[in-house]
């Protein structure tokens, strides 16, 4: 068994600190609506989805974001919720790829939850996509939305959380 020299220790410690810094930098980029990838910050696209008045309580509005291979759902909850946008602060959106193995979750309007048909994980869109029960160990990624009062439009502008099966949200 080889011994760790002082030089090796300092080199490895420095590497650890650098990796930690890169991770924090990545988070900062995500907060600024971009993904840091290989030293380049890739911007999230801004995609106008629908007029807020067209989204009804209990009727999920499907869309894809940030690319066609990433299904998502826009929901009107009916009362203000954390992270909700729009005139009533009740519009939220999430990736519908289950964080366990990527099956597509569906909205159960009666239970007001997103349910996975594969291994029965349940997520709460009224609490930021929090996992309620099941095999998944991560919350559903939240799609960051912006509301434009001038034309009542809702746009997707970023993803909060890593999409299932990806190393980066922007491919
Ligand atoms: S894929 Fe959703 S719980 Fe397994």
């Amino acid at each position: 068994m080889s011994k760790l020299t002082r030089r090796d220790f300092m080199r490895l410690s420095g590497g650890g600190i650098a990796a930690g810094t890169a991770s924090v930098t990545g988070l900062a980029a995500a907060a600024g609506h971009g993904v840091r990838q290989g030293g380049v910050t890739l911007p999230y696209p801004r995609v106008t989805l629908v007029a807020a008045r067209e989204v009804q309580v209990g009727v999920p509005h499907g869309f894809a974001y940030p690319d066609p291979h990433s299904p998502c759902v826009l929901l009107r909850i009916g009362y203000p919720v954390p992270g909700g946008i729009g005139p009533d602060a009740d519009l939220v959106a999430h990736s519908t790829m289950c964080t366990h193995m990527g099956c597509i979750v569906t909205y159960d309007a009666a239970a007001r939850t997103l349910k996975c048909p594969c291994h029965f994980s349940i997520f709460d869109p009224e609490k930021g996509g929090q996992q309620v029960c099941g095999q998944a160990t991560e919350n559903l990624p939240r799609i960051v939305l912006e509301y434009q009062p001038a034309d009542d439009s809702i746009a997707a502008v970023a993803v909060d959380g890593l999409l299932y099966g990806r190393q980066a949200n922007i491919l």
Side-chain angles (χ1 to χ4, degrees):
M1 182 173 168
S2 64
K3 285 177 68 174
L4 189 66
T5 64
R6 185 169 185 272
R7 177 173 296 187
D8 289 339
F9 175 77
M10 294 306 288
R11 180 174 51 81
L12 292 172
S13 298
I17 292 168
T21 305
S23 175
V24 170
T25 304
L27 287 175
H33 299 177
V35 173
R36 187 159 177 81
Q37 204 175 57
V40 177
T41 299
L42 302 175
Y44 279 107
R46 178 185 176 82
V47 177
T48 300
L49 303 176
V50 66
R53 62 182 172 278
E54 294 177 21
V55 185
Q56 303 301 312
V57 175
V59 182
H61 177 87
F63 64 100
Y65 186 85
D67 56 59
H69 307 292
S70 175
C72 304
V73 66
L74 171 66
L75 300 167
R76 180 183 290 281
I77 303 300
Y79 48 83
V81 292
I85 61 125
D88 301 316
D90 66 342
L91 291 158
V92 296
H94 290 280
S95 166
T96 55
M97 290 187 289
C98 179
T99 54
H100 178 223
M101 294 181 73
C103 291
I104 302 302
V105 301
T106 55
Y107 187 60
D108 180 338
R112 303 202 317 265
T113 55
L114 290 158
K115 295 183 173 178
C116 180
C118 292
H119 312 104
F120 313 113
S121 285
I122 297 175
F123 303 89
D124 189 345
E126 300 176 20
K127 294 193 171 95
Q130 185 177 57
Q131 189 215 349
V132 176
C133 65
Q135 299 283 324
T137 57
E138 301 285 334
N139 297 339
L140 273 185
R142 185 175 68 92
I143 307 303
V144 181
L145 303 173
E146 282 183 3
Y147 176 65
Q148 293 290 333
D151 61 359
D152 194 42
S153 67
I154 303 163
V157 297
V159 180
D160 181 9
L162 185 61
L163 297 169
Y164 175 79
R166 297 192 179 192
Q167 294 184 328
N169 288 336
I170 302 289
L171 299 177

